[in-house]
């Protein structure tokens, strides 16, 4: 028998999923970046989001 999740839990899980997707997107952009500055910017953004995810657990 399954139990339904509370609406706030569903929202939190969705936000975490979106953040993980954002991290992947920024990492892919960093791989495609042509300059070191762009690469650093995207990797920095990905790391910032990862930190937010770790703190929200």
């Amino acid at each position: 028998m399954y139990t339904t999740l509370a609406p706030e839990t569903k929202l939190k899980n969705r936000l975490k999923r979106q953040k993980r997707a954002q991290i992947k997107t920024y990492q892919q952009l960093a791989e495609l970046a042509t300059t070191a500055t762009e690469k650093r910017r995207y990797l920095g953004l990905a790391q910032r989001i990862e930190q937010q995810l770790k703190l929200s657990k």
Side-chain angles (χ1 to χ4, degrees), residues 1-55:
M1 186 98 160
Y2 293 107
T3 59
T4 55
L5 293 172
E8 59 271 11
T9 306
K10 284 184 179 179
L11 181 63
K12 271 197 258 180
N13 289 345
R14 192 174 78 215
L15 288 172
K16 284 182 185 178
R17 247 192 333 272
Q18 287 173 343
K19 284 186 179 191
R20 283 194 292 266
Q22 246 183 335
I23 290 168
K24 284 182 186 165
T25 303
Y26 283 134
Q27 287 170 339
Q28 288 171 343
L29 282 169
E31 287 177 22
L32 296 173
T34 51
T35 65
T37 307
E38 280 180 322
K39 192 172 287 231
R40 265 196 314 272
R41 179 186 311 134
Y42 292 131
L43 287 175
L45 287 168
Q47 284 177 337
R48 195 171 305 138
I49 296 168
E50 283 174 341
Q51 282 301 112
Q52 288 173 357
L53 265 179
K54 285 178 186 171
L55 293 175

